[in-house]
């Protein structure tokens, strides 16, 4: 890979410094925990909507979606198609619910409904989900910048992580939201620019892209058969609905923004604005993947360098012969995530690369900064103040929020380093988020829908749900002699099956008790 020109480095540096300065600007107004966590409820709905959109559209989307479209088809776009239904449920039920409680943490009501165990369980699930999210996003940053600069992925994560920590710690949620407004615009314009550059590099333009895509079935949304063992249309649709329901209804990143809005109406508007922008924006990234597939189909010699890089990452100590053998076995799905960074560094003119890298950084930084702030809030409210020092004054609470932001930022970097070498950013994120979110969403729905469910019934339902989640996640824990009992469901069904198991088991136990009385 050629070295990144000085002009591009300058553009990236200016962008990073600008984000840090925004954080320091808002630090002057962060004199209380309320200002740090919910900006005193004074943010307009349109800004919150762009902020939620920016959090949704992470580097997992910016790099992972084109990689999936390149290596497979448009099956993952079904995830986006599920968003409006989940948003309707959120606007009708979840947003008014949280605004009415007035609790900054999304998980305080768990304790009121079922007891301390439920709150602790939800908090653990959320924090694990955030580490998975931040880790996969850090990995996405490093993946693209390593291809561009040759700097090690670990060093890239460290530099980016420190920059994000600085503006998130200093500026709080207000800095997070307003930087995300800028980042949301930058990343969307970056996607449009990439499409233009790829299309103009292909003789025949969109006509040729459509021809190649149709010939290789690249625009398929997946099989319509009711088969839940593979990533069919229905599997991704159900996964998307449940994970988006979790995002809008259970994720502290979004709940915190509902409280930051000026009113319930403004909070509801922010959800619909997010969906209205995200669905067409995600479409653009699938278009990018298809465009890149057409381009590299016309230039197969360029793929050899990418295959070599992947083979070296998987077999770092292998002989040249072993590397060559592995390269011959690699499929587009194995190196899809590396295609866009390769195109950027080899085919995009100086200056424009810096703009696109800034867009990728925007995609990553918006999600990570939200995760840091939300994780620090949950840690402070639901763990530190709940179990260790309930009588913290305003200054002490703010200090713990700052410390928590730094610690979770560092933990996210650690998770990103641990993910180096994974096959697909999007796959690993979808799998981990489904595992950690499943039990939390099921318990939440049980608590707000089944009003008669008691504490012991919720505990039994959650334990059974955890067993199902473990069974789906680790099928090989069942001995070979009982292999027929192993789950064959696609991993994206974990959140669906786990959520429904907890909810339906709790309802069944409640109805059984009522009938026996």
């Amino acid at each position: 890979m050629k070295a990144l020109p000085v002009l591009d480095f300058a553009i990236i540096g200016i962008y990073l410094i600008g984000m840090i300065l925004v954080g320091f600007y808002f630090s002057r107004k962060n004199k209380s925990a309320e200002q740090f966590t919910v900006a005193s409820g004074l943010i307009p709905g349109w800004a919150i909507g762009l902020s939620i959109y920016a959090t949704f559209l992470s580097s997992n989307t910016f790099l992972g979606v084109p990689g999936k479209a390149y290596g497979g088809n448009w099956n993952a776009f079904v995830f986006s198609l599920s968003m409006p239904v989940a948003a309707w449920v959120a606007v009708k039920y979840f947003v008014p619910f949280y605004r009415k409680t007035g609790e900054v943490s999304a998980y305080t009501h768990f304790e009121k409904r079922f007891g301390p165990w439920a709150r602790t369980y939800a908090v653990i699930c959320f924090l694990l989900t955030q580490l998975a999210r931040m880790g996969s996003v850090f990995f996405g940053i490093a993946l693209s910048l390593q291809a561009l600069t040759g700097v090690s992925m670990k060093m890239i994560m460290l530099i980016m992580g420190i920059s994000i920590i600085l503006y998130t710690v200093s500026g709080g949620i207000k800095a997070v939201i307003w930087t995300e407004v800028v980042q949301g615009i930058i990343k969307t314009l970056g996607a449009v620019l990439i499409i233009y550059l790829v299309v103009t590099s292909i003789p025949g333009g969109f006509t040729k892209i459509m021809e190649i895509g149709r010939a290789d079935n690249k625009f398929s949304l997946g099989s319509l058969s009711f088969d839940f063992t593979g990533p069919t249309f229905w599997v991704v649709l159900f996964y998307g609905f449940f994970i988006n329901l979790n995002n809008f209804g259970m994720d502290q990143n979004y709940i915190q923004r509902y409280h930051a809005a000026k009113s319930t109406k403004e909070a509801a508007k922010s959800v619909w604005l997010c969906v209205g922008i995200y669905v067409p924006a995600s479409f653009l990234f699938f278009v990018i993947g298809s465009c890149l597939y057409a381009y590299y189909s016309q230039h197969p010699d360029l793929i050899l360098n990418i295959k070599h890089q992947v083979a070296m990452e998987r077999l770092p100590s292998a002989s040249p012969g072993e590397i060559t053998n592995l390269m011959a076995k690699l499929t587009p799905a194995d190196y899809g995530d590396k295609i866009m960074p390769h195109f950027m560094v080899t085919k995009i003119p100086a200056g424009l690369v810096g703009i696109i890298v800034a867009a990728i950084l925007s995609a990553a930084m918006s999600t990570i900064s939200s995760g840091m702030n939300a994780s620090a809030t949950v840690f402070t409210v639901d763990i530190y103040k709940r179990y260790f020092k309930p009588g913290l004054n305003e200054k002490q609470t703010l200090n713990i929020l700052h410390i928590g932001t730094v610690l979770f930022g560092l933990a996210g970097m650690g998770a990103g380093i641990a993910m180096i070498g994974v096959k697909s950013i999007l796959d690993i994120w979808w799998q981990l988020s489904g595992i950690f979110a499943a039990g939390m969403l099921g318990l939440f729905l049980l608590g707000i829908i089944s009003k008669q469910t008691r504490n012991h019934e919720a505990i039994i339902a959650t334990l059974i749900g955890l067993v199902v989640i473990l069974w789906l996640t680790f099928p090989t824990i069942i001995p070979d002699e009982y292999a027929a009992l192993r789950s064959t469901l696609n991993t994206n069904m974990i959140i669906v099956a786990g959520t429904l198991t907890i909810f339906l088991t709790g309802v069944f136990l409640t109805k059984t008790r009522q009938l026996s009385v």
Side-chain angles (χ1 to χ4, degrees), residues 123-124 126-135 138 161 164-165 168-169 367-381 383-384 400-416:
V123 166
I124 292 172
F126 169 75
L127 293 178
L128 289 174
T129 303
Q130 289 309 297
L131 288 178
R133 174 184 282 161
M134 288 190 288
F138 266 119
I164 300 168
I165 288 172
T168 306
V169 168
T367 303
I368 294 173
S369 61
S370 296
M372 288 181 186
N373 186 274
S375 298
T377 300
V378 167
F379 171 77
T380 302
V381 174
I383 297 178
Y384 198 81
I400 296 299
L401 285 166
H402 290 160
I403 293 170
T405 303
V406 174
L407 291 178
F408 282 105
L410 295 175
M413 278 189 272

Side-chain angles (χ1 to χ4, degrees), residues 11 50 95 117 129 248 272 383 449 466 482:
I11 292 171
L50 284 174
V95 173
W117 72 270
T129 303
F248 289 128
W272 284 120
I383 297 178
I449 295 175
L466 285 175
Y482 302 107

Side-chain angles (χ1 to χ4, degrees), residues 73 75 78 217 220-227 230-236:
N73 52 33
N75 176 234
V78 180
N217 197 32
S220 170
L221 295 178
S223 170
L224 291 175
S225 64
F226 285 96
D227 175 15
T232 62
F233 176 93
W234 303 108
V235 166
V236 179

Side-chain angles (χ1 to χ4, degrees), residues 424-451:
S424 167
I425 302 173
L426 202 62
D427 282 346
I428 191 67
W429 162 237
W430 277 20
Q431 183 174 354
L432 291 174
S433 63
I435 292 168
F436 296 141
M440 182 167 58
L441 179 60
L443 185 59
F444 173 71
L445 294 176
L446 182 64
I448 66 170
I449 295 175
S450 182
K451 302 293 186 182

Side-chain angles (χ1 to χ4, degrees), residues 32-41 97-109 112 119 123 126 173 250-260 373-382 385 394 397 401:
S32 69
E34 184 188 21
Q35 290 170 337
F36 188 90
T37 56
V38 296
S40 301
F97 171 79
Y98 285 112
R99 292 283 302 190
K100 186 177 180 180
T101 66
E103 299 285 354
V104 66
S105 168
Y107 313 114
T108 306
H109 74 278
K112 296 177 180 178
R119 180 180 185 178
V123 166
F126 169 75
I173 192 65
M250 284 296 306
D251 195 319
Q252 179 68 23
N253 284 290
Y254 308 103
I255 309 309
Q256 217 164 310
R257 284 166 174 74
Y258 300 161
H259 291 298
N373 186 274
S375 298
T377 300
V378 167
F379 171 77
T380 302
V381 174
D382 295 297
K385 293 181 76 171
E394 199 66 46
T397 301
L401 285 166

Side-chain angles (χ1 to χ4, degrees), residues 266-281:
E266 288 291 297
K269 282 182 180 178
S270 71
V271 174
W272 284 120
L273 179 60
C274 165
V275 174
I277 301 174
Y278 181 85
V279 174

Side-chain angles (χ1 to χ4, degrees), residues 385-405:
K385 293 181 76 171
R386 171 64 179 80
Y387 293 105
F388 298 100
K389 289 191 176 181
L392 285 182
N393 60 34
E394 199 66 46
K395 184 178 180 180
Q396 291 171 327
T397 301
L398 196 57
N399 287 337
I400 296 299
L401 285 166
H402 290 160
I403 293 170
T405 303

Side-chain angles (χ1 to χ4, degrees), residues 65-70 72-74 198 202 206 208-210 212-213 218-219 283-297:
V65 166
K68 289 290 286 183
Y70 177 93
N73 52 33
W74 285 25
V198 182
I202 299 174
F206 267 119
K208 189 63 177 177
I209 291 168
M210 294 296 291
I212 294 173
K218 303 302 290 184
F219 303 123
F283 173 80
L284 291 179
F285 288 97
F286 282 95
V287 171
I288 290 173
S290 297
C291 291
L292 289 171
Y293 181 83
Y295 177 82
Y296 282 91
S297 294

